[in-house]
Amino acid sequence: MAKTVSSPPKPAERITIREVAQDAGVSVAAVSKVLRDAYGVSDALRAKVRASMDKLNYRPRASARGMRGKTYTLGLIFPDLRNPFFADVYAGVNSALERTQYQAMQGFSTTPAALIEAMIDRQMDGLILIGPNESAASLAATGARLPLVTIGQHDKSGDGYDTVNNDDQLGARLVVRHLVGNGFRNIAMLSLMQPASTVIEQRELGYRLEMMEQKCGGTINIVRAPQVVRDVQVAVRRLLESKERPDAIFCWTDLMAFEAISVAVDLGLSVPDDIAIVGYDNTMFCDFAQNSLTSVDQSGELLGLQAARLVVERIDGRSAADHFTVPPRIVARNSSRPRKPI
Amino acid sequence: MAKTVSSPPKPAERITIREVAQDAGVSVAAVSKVLRDAYGVSDALRAKVRASMDKLNYRPRASARGMRGKTYTLGLIFPDLRNPFFADVYAGVNSALERTQYQAMQGFSTTPAALIEAMIDRQMDGLILIGPNESAASLAATGARLPLVTIGQHDKSGDGYDTVNNDDQLGARLVVRHLVGNGFRNIAMLSLMQPASTVIEQRELGYRLEMMEQKCGGTINIVRAPQVVRDVQVAVRRLLESKERPDAIFCWTDLMAFEAISVAVDLGLSVPDDIAIVGYDNTMFCDFAQNSLTSVDQSGELLGLQAARLVVERIDGRSAADHFTVPPRIVARNSSRPRKPI
């Protein structure tokens, strides 16, 4: 039974920033800069200070920092814990914070208003909201109270908060282009019914515009279902059993696409020979052979990384808004390969 | 573009517990009891106080509570965000806390020592650790500093902390019994290489003991792989391509089982006719037809619910340890159905 024994630190012997500075032979201000991961810190200085911190087992005291108005804690609010895409975003946030003294605390809610209050109450230095459905006005009001960055939210409102996105309209266009290129014509879109979001709007818009531009003769058909297993199943089943069965279904998220594959398999249909299926997010489950799901990669890790950087910049005093957009790309797999000629 | 407009609360007009009591026509102590969801609070009293809180838009002030030594914040530490099982545990914690003033803040780490310190620093009232690999001594040391409950950890240490588990040894036994009952003999186990955990130990032990008791002539064969996609693939491929290919693989977690299905599909093998596969956790992806994975349900939601209750009890003063175990059950699906007679 090999176990890691980690002896708890002794709070009575806490090392101060002064002792770290003394040990490293630098100023207290220099140590402080390293702690904040401030710009202009040389690698040599960082290495020296970090070595002293490690040697002395230095750990900043959050409660003391809280009294000075800073807790070095960021709040992250995700809509849910089931979508594997959020694990990518989280990994990005984490790697951005690794070299800083900031610690992220996560919460989950589809209606985050109460959770936002709870995080402000708990003196978070800044917030990152993933896929929030709040209005721009409500987000600006939150942004006026503490540094705020949204991921997966396209409304902008003055300098109130920063936004980080992939280009969802382009992502949807890429899906239609890819499917048409592989010989599919009647491409339906399976979208989200509730709650409305700017991400959904952009993906639906991209789908509509590209279907029109491609002039492939396919019908524009958007079916909306709530993100609830049973409802998605009913919607997909209706689509697959309809007289005018589509050639392909573009699902607004991988999670819905996996459910669509499940319904197709249940009905004895072959993917993609009877029905092609494409998702969005390129989550780890796409790669499994039983899914082999074509998907749009929106670089979740990069989105998380960038959001963490931006919120720390705001904490450090930036007040003008920054809006970051990453280009999406198609990752093609079996679920949308060209059909075998009959 | 239908949006929810939530106006931010005005911090200057904060309602106090005294005003709630006055409005409800009850004592301040009674309101306090409702806030703590204490035992002995009648439904009528709760309804009356809640109605006044809603009417007055009462919200307890976490920072003020912090100064009094209580923040009504619980820390939850999960090993990772990718395993869908943790969403079930989280749902249980959340539903237990719904009627209380407690708020859960989540963190993710496979080596939680630093995160535990960060949570203590941030004045969490109590901690729930999910699948921690800390030694019993280390957990007891943490339990001496704040109320602590572990989920998925079988070591006990005096009264230092509470444990919540399913019976992992029994769960593994049920898998072997189920497979033997369906005609499978050579049952291999795909287990976790690093880090060692009491959950793994119990599942391996249950597998071994039941294989011996069943006297089915099958070889006991435990293959261990790290929880990394590539390593799991290599381990499964080696097992499936070996001269003595097993009839069935019992995977210690669903996530590994989905990868095992993927490798089998890639090799052109049929599940279960060439190889039966069983997982553990009964996560939502088991139900998808492309997986149709037999799994052990360990009632993740109930584990979360119970852990939240126990940690709140400890915060309220209980000092004797409580150890809760839930019985696991097999949920049979296609991945282990009896083979067609040749």
Side-chain angles (χ1 to χ4, degrees), chain B residues 76-209:
Chain B
L76 260 72
I77 303 182
F78 294 92
D80 70 78
L81 216 156
R82 291 194 193 272
N83 190 333
F85 170 61
F86 300 133
D88 296 334
V89 174
Y90 172 75
V93 170
N94 226 21
S95 70
L97 298 184
E98 231 165 37
R99 296 200 322 182
T100 75
Q101 292 302 311
Y102 287 96
Q103 186 81 41
M105 296 282 158
Q106 279 70 230
F108 302 89
S109 177
T110 40
T111 51
L115 195 48
I116 290 171
E117 290 307 316
M119 290 217 167
I120 293 175
D121 257 13
R122 282 158 184 86
Q123 299 176 283
M124 301 286 162
D125 291 338
L127 275 186
I128 300 175
L129 303 182
I130 295 97
N133 296 299
E134 262 61 17
S135 68
S138 165
L139 290 171
T142 300
R145 298 168 73 195
L146 85 171
L148 175 68
V149 178
T150 64
I151 298 179
Q153 191 286 124
H154 293 277
D155 274 346
K156 296 170 178 101
S157 173
D159 284 324
Y161 55 90
D162 301 332
T163 64
V164 172
N165 285 293
N166 94 115
D167 183 337
D168 285 294
Q169 192 185 128
L170 176 59
R173 279 174 174 270
L174 292 179
V175 171
V176 174
R177 258 176 243 169
H178 163 81
L179 284 167
V180 171
N182 279 3
F184 301 96
R185 295 283 170 274
N186 272 311
I187 303 164
M189 178 174 179
L190 187 58
S191 185
L192 186 70
M193 182 177 286
Q194 284 289 351
S197 86
T198 53
V199 165
I200 297 288
E201 285 163 14
Q202 288 299 311
R203 292 189 193 166
E204 290 190 0
L205 183 61
Y207 161 79
R208 276 180 205 281
L209 292 174

Side-chain angles (χ1 to χ4, degrees), chain A residues 178-195:
Chain A
H178 164 81
L179 283 167
V180 171
N182 278 3
F184 300 96
R185 294 284 170 270
N186 272 312
I187 303 163
M189 177 173 181
L190 186 58
S191 184
L192 186 68
M193 182 177 285
Q194 284 289 352

Side-chain angles (χ1 to χ4, degrees), chain A residues 1 73 106 122 201 262 289, chain B residues 1 73 106 122 201 262 289:
Chain A
M1 230 164 70
T73 314
Q106 280 70 231
R122 282 157 184 87
E201 283 163 13
S262 175
Chain B
M1 225 164 75
T73 313
Q106 279 70 230
R122 282 158 184 86
E201 285 163 14
S262 175

